[in-house]
């Protein structure tokens, strides 16, 4: 099993709909979880961090964490074409190493 | 300058050359990182510095040599690289090494091509 696993996509979502991005991780002792957005040819940009079970909302973005099931997700409401990018999930393992997933390419259809 | 800056943005070097990548952060952070991003691979953490001390070296070949003279500057010295080292090299910083402050801010990257 990969340490941090994401569906590579592309995930195509109509404009205005909810985009749902998922990430699973293998280290049950992981404590911190992050979502980054990376536009083509650009560097990753932090969107959300989440540390405890449940939901965390910031504007159109909601991060969801379920440690028992070892998954973290990112919901993007009212998707816009500008949301088209690759979304990277990052997990801080119990040994303090940060591991990134390969990312999911999201395409918002106008 | 704001955020995290990196120079040069693009670099083409031969296998026998020696070059250096520079990173500077203007965020008052205490930790700095070097990452390698290759096509179709996840981001690979190379080195971590916390308060100018190297705290992590993820089995990186010795042809990559980091240097952190102070908490705002980070260098990656390159020598006798291989074509497979061609990639985007990203610098990042975070406020501290505590898990609660692991939010990292990335520079624009240096696109390195080894010929």
């Amino acid at each position: 099993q990969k340490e941090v696993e994401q569906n590579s996509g592309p995930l195509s979502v109509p404009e205005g709909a909810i985009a749902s991005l998922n990430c699973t991780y293998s280290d049950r002792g992981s404590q911190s979880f992050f979502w980054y957005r990376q536009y083509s040819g650009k560097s990753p940009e932090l969107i959300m961090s989440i540390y405890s079970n449940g939901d965390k909302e910031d504007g159109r973005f909601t991060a969801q964490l379920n440690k028992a099931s070892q998954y973290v997700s990112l919901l993007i409401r009212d998707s816009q074409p500008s949301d088209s990018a690759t979304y990277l999930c990052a997990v801080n393992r119990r040994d303090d190493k940060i591991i990134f997933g390969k990312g999911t390419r999201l395409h918002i259809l106008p | 300058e704001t955020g995290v800056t990196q120079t040069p943005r693009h670099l083409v070097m031969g296998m026998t050359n020696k070059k250096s990548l520079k990173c500077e952060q203007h965020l008052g952070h205490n930790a700095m990182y070097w990452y390698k991003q290759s096509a179709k691979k996840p981001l690979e953490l190379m080195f971590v510095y916390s308060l100018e001390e190297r705290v992590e070296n993820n089995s990186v070949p010795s042809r990559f040599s980091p240097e952190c003279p102070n908490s705002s500057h980070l260098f990656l010295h390159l020598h006798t690289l291989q074509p497979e080292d061609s990639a985007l090299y990203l610098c990042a910083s975070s406020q501290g090494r505590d898990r609660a402050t692991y939010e990292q801010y990335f520079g624009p990257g240096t696109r390195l091509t080894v010929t």
Side-chain angles (χ1 to χ4, degrees):
Chain A
Q1 182 189 4
K2 294 177 185 173
E3 291 202 64
V4 177
E5 198 149 4
Q6 296 180 255
N7 189 322
S8 60
L11 174 66
S12 296
V13 174
E15 183 175 356
I18 296 176
S20 178
L21 303 161
N22 298 314
C23 171
T24 58
Y25 59 94
S26 60
D27 182 10
R28 188 170 286 277
S30 300
Q31 295 293 325
S32 308
F33 308 86
F34 308 89
W35 282 101
Y36 290 84
R37 177 177 63 199
Q38 187 171 24
Y39 292 114
S40 180
K42 302 292 186 182
S43 58
E45 172 192 10
L46 180 68
I47 298 176
M48 297 278 288
S49 56
I50 187 166
Y51 306 103
S52 53
N53 278 329
D55 295 0
K56 180 181 177 183
E57 188 175 317
D58 184 1
R60 295 187 296 113
F61 298 97
T62 299
Q64 299 175 317
L65 175 60
N66 184 324
K67 289 186 178 180
S69 300
Q70 294 175 237
Y71 84 78
V72 56
S73 62
L74 180 70
L75 301 178
I76 306 175
R77 289 182 300 281
D78 187 25
S79 297
Q80 303 296 311
S82 59
D83 295 325
S84 297
T86 297
Y87 289 80
L88 305 175
C89 172
V91 175
N92 181 19
R93 296 185 331 198
R94 76 183 81 191
D95 61 355
D96 246 7
K97 287 188 183 295
I98 284 209
I99 307 296
F100 280 79
K102 286 188 178 182
T104 298
R105 280 190 299 136
L106 174 65
H107 181 48
I108 305 301
L109 304 168
Chain B
E1 296 273 19
T2 58
V4 182
T5 58
Q6 289 186 245
T7 55
R9 296 293 305 276
H10 300 272
L11 178 63
V12 179
M13 60 186 288
M15 292 167 59
T16 58
N17 291 158
K18 288 185 181 181
K19 297 285 184 184
S20 296
L21 309 184
K22 179 183 176 183
C23 174
E24 184 173 359
Q25 60 95 2
H26 309 267
L27 300 168
H29 288 168
N30 293 321
M32 297 187 77
Y33 310 77
W34 279 117
Y35 285 90
K36 176 183 178 182
Q37 188 173 38
S38 306
K40 300 186 179 180
K41 286 188 176 181
L43 270 171
E44 300 172 58
L45 181 61
M46 301 174 72
F47 301 104
V48 181
Y49 277 83
S50 178
L51 296 173
E52 300 126 57
E53 178 186 348
R54 190 190 311 179
V55 295
E56 196 164 327
N57 175 348
N58 286 315
S59 303
V60 179
S62 59
R63 56 185 183 270
F64 295 91
S65 174
E67 178 190 0
C68 187
N70 55 61
S71 60
S72 298
H73 293 86
L74 185 65
F75 294 89
L76 188 63
H77 303 300
L78 316 171
H79 66 97
T80 57
L81 294 191
Q82 305 297 311
E84 60 264 29
D85 297 322
S86 299
L88 180 67
Y89 288 85
L90 291 161
C91 173
S93 69
S94 67
Q95 189 167 2
R97 283 282 294 168
D98 293 336
R99 290 175 179 177
T101 56
Y102 246 136
E103 298 175 352
Q104 296 182 43
Y105 295 84
F106 286 83
T110 295
R111 175 67 63 185
L112 173 67
T113 302
V114 180
T115 60

